[in-house]
């Protein structure tokens, strides 16, 4: 089948490359001429595991094409569906900015002739269907919603091996078209209304964010009580009603999705006449976590002004060069503002973080370079190479063997056994049952 994908960011490029991988003929459209020229050569403007290989293979097979011209994209074989994958950023007032969606839908509405299915992949708040149709302004075009559940860093796998696929449709025809396009993916398919599919996307991201803020709250309570949140997470995770994922506490969650989608759901509920009591505190907890993390460093060193620290990690998550809303960047900004001297390293996200941190920190070329003259090491992104570091080398190069783990992911017992003092969110010092009865 032929598919057109509009927008070649994280979502659109994965969509296009994966559909081509599944054997469909795909034309990806973007207004950025330089980006399209590079993509034709197989050059991808961001880091995402497995994507370069898939794009190169798609281009070589002739099944994946790129253009800046929507008219050209829809010419020849009629596309079975046009997927809209443009960004829906957060506006200053917390609402979702739909201007990119509007522009694309208007252009699709005037370019396409005959009956076609227009599929919204971008996160667009529920309650917008009327606007979406108005922007399309073409009675031959039918809308559907097929929300994406891709995590940056594992997007390709998430697309090809999803937990579920959701089709928000208005007709059996739309459902059939989408089913045919996804027929080689082995996953449960849930068919529902457009509004339910839109809400399902927001509910999923909000529940994950709620879970993270909840476990971060438990970490803060564990700190106050002298308990260990990693043990609590394990205890919770063994209950199949909860599951193990998304129970790692830390200095907060980041990325372009959770913070935006939490605010958007709160606002969409409000504008529909419902004041949610549960959604807003998710961000309130998250906004405080980087400050709580910094306070631990200040408490340990009696302030940070004029003190040097090494930082591993700037990306909001492992496996990506994306530093948007990254807790690592937030921590670095707070520490710098309080006079700390930071030397930072990230395997992929340095250039993106530099846009926010500028000259306030110094950028190291290797992970070991940040250790020189540092009072302590702060680890702020869960890159596996940080957990697997040569800790004896780290110890030999730091002024003191002190580590602050902002993602609670390092092998704490192993590092402690090497003589490190380990701090994190809600961590208890090495605990084991006493040999003797205490009383
Ligand atoms: C998230 C969702 O997981 C995807 O399903 C969704 O499609 C995507 O948003 C989107 O709406 O486009 P993403 O933000 O890319 O994906 O990455 P996640 O793996 O969800 O991580 C988000 C943040 O939570 C990161 O900062 C990560 O470090 C943090 N996290 C994750 C924790 O602090 N603890 C955990 O246990 C798990």
């Amino acid at each position: 089948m032929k598919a057109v994908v509009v927008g070649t960011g994280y979502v659109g490029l994965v969509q296009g490359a994966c559909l081509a991988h599944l054997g469909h003929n795909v034309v990806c459209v973007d207004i950025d001429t330089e980006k399209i020229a590079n993509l034709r050569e197989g050059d991808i403007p961001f880091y995402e595991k497995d994507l370069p290989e898939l794009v190169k293979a798609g281009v070589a097979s002739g099944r994946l094409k790129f253009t800046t011209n929507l008219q050209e994209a829809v010419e020849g074989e009629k596309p079975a569906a046009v997927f809209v994958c443009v960004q829906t950023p957060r506006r200053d007032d917390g609402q979702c900015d739909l201007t990119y969606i509007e522009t694309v839908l208007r252009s699709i509405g005037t370019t396409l002739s005959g009956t076609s299915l227009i599929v919204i992949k971008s996160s667009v708040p529920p309650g917008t269907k009327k606007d979406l149709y108005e922007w399309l302004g073409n009675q031959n075009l039918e809308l559907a919603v097929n929300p994406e559940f891709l995590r940056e860093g594992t997007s390709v796998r998430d697309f090809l091996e999803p937990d579920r696929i959701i089709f928000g449709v208005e007709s059996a025809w739309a459902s059939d078209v989408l089913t045919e396009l996804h027929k080689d993916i082995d996953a449960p398919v849930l068919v529902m209304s457009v509004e339910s599919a839109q809400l399902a996307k927001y509910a999923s991201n909000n529940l994950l964010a709620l879970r993270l803020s909840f476990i971060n709250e438990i970490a803060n309570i564990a700190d106050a009580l002298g308990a260990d949140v990693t043990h609590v997470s394990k205890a919770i995770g063994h209950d199949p009603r909860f599951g193990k994922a998304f129970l790692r506490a830390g200095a907060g969650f980041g990325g372009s999705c959770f913070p935006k989608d939490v605010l958007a759901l709160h606002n969409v509920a409000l504008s529909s006449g419902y004041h949610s009591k549960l959604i807003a505190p998710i961000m309130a907890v998250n906004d405080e976590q980087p400050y709580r993390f910094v306070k631990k460093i200040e408490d340990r060193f009696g302030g940070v002004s004029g003190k040097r620290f090494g930082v591993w990690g700037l990306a909001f998550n492992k496996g990506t060069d994306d530093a948007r809303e990254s807790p690592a960047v937030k921590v670095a900004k707070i520490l710098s503002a309080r006079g700390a001297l930071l030397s930072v390293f990230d395997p992929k996200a340095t250039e993106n973080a530099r846009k926010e941190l500028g000259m306030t920190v110094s950028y190291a070329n290797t992970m070991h370079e940040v250790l020189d003259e540092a009072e302590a090491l702060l680890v702020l992104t869960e890159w596996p190479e940080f957990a697997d570091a040569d800790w004896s080398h780290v110890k030999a190069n730091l002024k003191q063997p002190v580590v602050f783990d902002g993602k609670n992911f390092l092998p704490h017992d192993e590092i402690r056994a090497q003589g490190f003092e380990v701090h994190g969110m809600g961590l208890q010092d090495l605990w084991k049952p006493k040999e003797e009865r205490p009383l």
Side-chain angles (χ1 to χ4, degrees):
M1 291 172 103
K2 177 175 169 183
V4 169
V5 176
V6 184
T8 56
Y10 285 98
V11 174
L13 202 51
V14 172
Q15 176 80 14
C18 288
L19 284 178
H21 174 76
L22 293 171
H24 300 298
N25 291 316
V26 184
V27 188
C28 292
V29 188
D30 201 294
I31 50 170
D32 186 334
T33 31
E34 195 186 330
K35 196 173 179 188
I36 289 297
N38 289 336
L39 284 168
R40 282 181 178 142
E41 302 298 316
D43 273 351
I44 295 177
F46 51 84
Y47 174 74
E48 182 63 37
K49 195 165 159 279
D50 300 332
L51 192 56
E53 294 77 8
L54 225 57
V55 170
K56 282 199 179 86
V59 171
S61 70
R63 286 198 301 274
L64 182 59
K65 296 198 168 77
F66 295 97
T67 176
T68 51
N69 187 332
L70 181 63
Q71 178 66 50
E72 190 185 299
V74 299
E75 268 166 16
E77 187 191 343
K78 187 167 126 11
V82 177
F83 290 91
V84 177
C85 305
V86 292
Q87 65 273 48
T88 53
R90 175 164 31 136
R91 286 194 326 216
D92 288 343
D93 63 0
Q95 305 275 2
C96 210
D97 181 356
L98 297 182
T99 46
Y100 296 97
I101 295 276
E102 178 178 349
T103 309
V104 166
L105 290 184
R106 284 191 192 283
S107 141
I108 289 172
T110 49
T111 309
L112 265 80
S113 56
T115 317
S116 272
L117 186 64
I118 313 303
V119 188
I120 311 283
K121 293 267 347 166
S122 312
S123 300
V124 174
T128 45
K129 194 172 86 179
K130 201 165 148 274
D131 291 333
L132 302 176
Y133 269 113
E134 221 169 273
W135 295 333
L136 268 178
N138 181 334
Q139 289 183 345
N140 291 321
L141 305 180
E142 186 173 317
L143 271 176
V145 167
N146 170 218
E148 53 86 13
F149 296 101
L150 311 175
R151 287 162 297 177
E152 286 180 27
T154 55
S155 296
V156 169
R157 200 183 65 207
D158 290 344
F159 187 99
L160 295 171
E161 297 166 30
D163 304 314
R164 77 302 208 189
I165 304 176
I166 294 180
F167 299 153
V169 293
E170 306 229 72
S171 70
W173 166 74
S175 173
D176 289 348
V177 169
L178 286 169
T179 302
E180 187 60 24
L181 277 164
H182 293 83
K183 73 175 180 347
D184 290 324
I185 299 180
D186 181 19
V189 173
L190 311 176
V191 182
M192 57 189 75
S193 70
V194 165
E195 293 81 358
S196 300
Q198 287 178 316
L199 188 54
K201 163 69 188 189
Y202 279 90
S204 299
N205 273 6
N206 272 264
L207 186 53
L208 289 169
L210 174 66
R211 201 169 149 103
L212 291 179
S213 277
F214 176 79
I215 204 64
N216 285 334
E217 277 283 62
I218 297 294
N220 300 339
I221 297 170
D223 270 334
L225 291 174
D228 191 312
V229 72
T230 59
H231 293 177
V232 179
S233 292
K234 269 188 204 143
I236 298 171
H238 273 280
D239 185 332
R241 288 174 299 176
F242 302 123
K244 295 186 170 71
F246 272 70
L247 284 175
R248 190 167 37 74
F253 58 76
S256 65
C257 305
F258 288 167
K260 169 173 79 82
D261 290 355
V262 170
L263 267 173
L265 185 61
H266 178 77
N267 285 321
V268 88
L270 211 55
S271 50
S272 326
Y274 180 70
H275 188 277
S276 159
K277 285 100 202 150
L278 194 57
I279 307 295
I282 298 175
M283 285 316 292
V285 172
N286 198 54
D287 289 344
E288 243 188 59
Q289 276 317 89
Y291 289 93
R292 301 186 76 89
F293 183 74
V294 166
K295 183 162 184 312
K296 283 172 183 285
I297 306 167
E298 287 182 321
D299 288 350
R300 169 62 180 79
F301 290 100
V304 294
S305 183
K307 301 202 170 98
R308 188 173 293 281
F309 297 97
V311 175
W312 282 355
L314 294 167
F316 86 96
N317 206 354
K318 65 178 180 301
T320 178
D321 61 357
D322 195 343
R324 283 176 288 177
E325 304 263 357
S326 169
V329 171
K330 290 180 190 168
V331 166
K333 275 187 180 169
I334 301 166
L335 283 169
S336 295
R338 295 183 184 180
L341 309 168
L342 304 182
S343 174
V344 302
F345 172 80
D346 188 282
K348 299 286 178 197
T350 304
E351 286 321 306
N352 283 330
R354 197 194 292 267
K355 290 175 202 154
E356 287 211 46
L357 294 172
M359 309 285 280
T360 58
V361 300
S362 69
Y363 300 90
N365 292 316
T366 67
M367 59 192 264
H368 293 298
E369 218 177 287
V370 310
L371 306 172
D372 293 344
E373 296 300 311
E375 303 285 345
L377 174 64
L378 322 180
V379 186
L380 295 170
T381 307
E382 56 276 67
W383 286 103
E385 53 262 55
F386 297 160
D388 297 342
D390 177 350
W391 288 97
S392 58
H393 178 90
V394 176
K395 189 175 172 192
N397 284 272
L398 281 174
K399 273 169 98 174
Q400 323 173 45
V402 182
V403 179
F404 286 82
D405 180 359
K407 289 282 184 179
N408 279 10
F409 84 112
L410 296 172
H412 299 143
D413 289 349
E414 203 181 293
I415 300 171
R416 284 192 185 110
Q418 295 202 34
F420 275 90
E421 182 186 312
V422 179
H423 300 265
M425 302 307 280
L427 299 185
Q428 197 177 18
D429 276 345
L430 188 59
W431 178 88
K432 57 179 186 175
K434 293 188 173 63
E435 297 290 335
E436 305 289 327
R437 289 187 66 209
L439 298 175

